Amino acid sequence: MLPGRYDEAHAPQPPVFPWRICSSPLSVGRVETLSRGMRVMTSWKHQVKNRFSEQAPEWAACYTNPEPTLSSQHLISRQRFALEMVEAAIPPSSRILEAGCGAGVMAAKLIKRGYAVWGIDLAEPMIRQARQLCESEPFGVGDIEHIPFPDNTFDVVVSLGVLEYLESDEQALREVWRVLRPGGRAVIAIPNGRSPLRRLDGVVPRVVAVLRPAYHLVKYRFRARPAPSSETFAGTVHHAPYRRFYRSTWLRLLRGLNFEPEAWICHGWGWLSSPLDLLVHSLSMKQTVVRRGIERLVGRALLSRASATFVRNRALNWLAAEHVFRVRAIK
């Protein structure tokens, strides 16, 4: 076989999922990994795992809420663009791994489109939800930095909103490249480090934290009222990313790891974890009403084409909160 050529006769067999559910009374529902996916987690990953384990009950509801919040609108938009990228390049029946599958919402939509889907996630409660939603077993606890599948197993790896929670990108990308067959694709979403509203997501909470003692002093102590032990803002499921990504640097990293970028879009406008979330959400709802009016005026097809052009406009990409890439593995 020539280097870089994919020979269907040597295609890997369908992957055997390397997890089992323990059946003993003391461990029902506990997922055990039986492969190289079992690694010692860093404290950083433990924080991420615990956070998303707590959010598992509400995660799937974000995609079905008839009155979505600003953050759930962001998640729905990202998912829609990722699905379009997969369908544009990958035929049905192809094997897909979703690394960071969460509650399985994206996986369920891929399955309905005729794809064979496997999923891994650090949070076991997310995996239980994914299995229930997809009515399928190929989901298990796993780490994108140590993917528990053989080389050249999948046609596609989808990873949305995962890399920003890692301490670095290279190990995860090497693993994605390893499990992709020659010419396989990866669809990956990363936050945009240049987005001004994304930056304000981090700045505003810090300002509020500084001003809160003075606010409590005026509101409670001067009025002889008991102050609450803690005060939190009505929030969102999605939080500001830990790390910033820049498109030019990211593209250099991808090419250095033998990925060839094929498609790219920018979307979202940040303000996902701000104390001003309610105000911004109100403005967003008004924008939705305006959009529906424009849709009635010019038609959905024309508006969709205009939206597709907008999200691919490089002159405006610095404004958007997130980038979604489709890349091809060069082997």
Side-chain angles (χ1 to χ4, degrees):
M1 184 170 63
L2 296 176
R5 290 286 302 277
Y6 180 66
D7 186 352
E8 195 66 34
H10 294 84
Q13 297 300 310
V16 177
F17 206 71
W19 288 273
R20 60 184 170 88
I21 299 292
C22 300
S23 57
S24 65
L26 296 179
S27 59
V28 173
R30 183 168 62 90
V31 180
E32 289 191 2
T33 179
L34 303 178
S35 67
R36 64 194 291 270
M38 177 65 81
R39 305 291 173 123
V40 176
M41 287 189 197
T42 64
S43 60
W44 186 272
K45 283 186 182 177
H46 271 298
Q47 292 177 30
V48 174
K49 174 184 175 181
N50 292 338
R51 184 162 119 188
F52 282 95
S53 294
E54 293 170 358
Q55 294 174 352
E58 58 190 293
W59 193 265
C62 288
Y63 295 89
T64 57
N65 190 339
E67 297 184 0
T69 64
L70 196 64
S71 61
S72 59
Q73 287 177 354
H74 174 90
L75 294 172
I76 292 167
S77 172
R78 179 176 72 187
Q79 184 185 91
R80 176 170 60 86
F81 287 123
L83 284 168
E84 289 175 0
M85 283 188 172
V86 171
E87 289 185 291
I90 308 299
S93 78
S94 299
R95 292 188 294 248
I96 297 180
L97 171 68
E98 187 177 6
C101 63
V105 179
M106 175 76 169
K109 293 186 176 182
L110 289 167
I111 290 170
K112 287 181 180 179
R113 285 161 170 79
Y115 296 101
V117 183
W118 286 256
I120 60 173
D121 198 281
L122 279 178
E124 183 183 333
M126 289 287 194
I127 293 300
R128 290 199 296 268
Q129 293 229 359
R131 285 179 167 168
Q132 182 178 2
L133 178 64
C134 298
E135 299 180 349
S136 177
E137 284 300 310
F139 295 88
V141 175
D143 182 351
I144 192 174
E145 291 190 304
H146 305 286
I147 298 175
F149 288 98
D151 299 355
N152 305 324
T153 298
F154 295 100
D155 301 294
V156 186
V157 173
V158 175
S159 184
L160 308 178
V162 175
L163 294 188
E164 61 260 41
Y165 296 105
L166 304 177
E167 293 179 282
S168 64
D169 309 316
E170 189 167 329
Q171 173 62 22
L173 290 174
R174 289 186 186 279
E175 280 291 276
V176 169
W177 184 89
R178 180 184 65 78
V179 299
L180 283 173
R181 70 169 180 80
R185 268 79 169 192
V187 175
I188 302 172
I190 56 171
N192 177 17
R194 299 189 188 281
S195 172
L197 292 180
R198 268 284 196 186
R199 288 175 177 264
L200 285 174
D201 262 351
V203 171
V204 173
R206 295 190 190 101
V207 173
V208 170
V210 171
L211 296 179
R212 185 178 293 150
Y215 170 75
H216 279 197
L217 184 66
V218 173
K219 183 176 180 179
Y220 300 108
R221 293 187 183 179
F222 285 175
R223 298 182 181 182
R225 295 178 181 177
S229 57
S230 63
E231 186 172 336
T232 59
F233 295 93
T236 64
V237 172
H238 190 83
H239 295 264
Y242 290 123
R243 297 189 296 122
R244 293 175 182 168
F245 294 75
Y246 299 93
R247 184 173 179 273
S248 57
T249 306
W250 176 252
L251 289 174
R252 285 197 299 271
L253 175 62
L254 289 172
R255 291 190 174 102
L257 295 173
N258 294 318
F259 285 107
E260 182 60 34
E262 288 187 333
W264 159 86
I265 62 98
C266 58
H267 81 104
W269 306 107
W271 292 89
L272 303 178
S273 58
S274 167
L276 301 179
D277 181 65
L278 293 178
L279 171 62
V280 179
H281 177 60
S282 176
L283 295 174
S284 174
M285 294 302 292
K286 291 180 180 179
Q287 176 265 338
T288 301
V289 172
V290 171
R291 178 187 174 90
R292 288 172 181 169
I294 296 174
E295 186 176 290
R296 286 194 296 269
L297 182 64
V298 303
R300 179 173 295 181
L302 181 59
L303 188 61
S304 295
R305 287 197 297 270
S307 175
T309 301
F310 181 80
V311 298
R312 291 168 175 81
N313 190 319
R314 295 192 179 187
L316 298 174
N317 75 76
W318 63 275
L319 285 170
E322 194 165 47
H323 293 160
V324 183
F325 292 86
R326 189 183 70 226
V327 296
R328 183 167 58 92
I330 307 299
K331 295 190 176 185

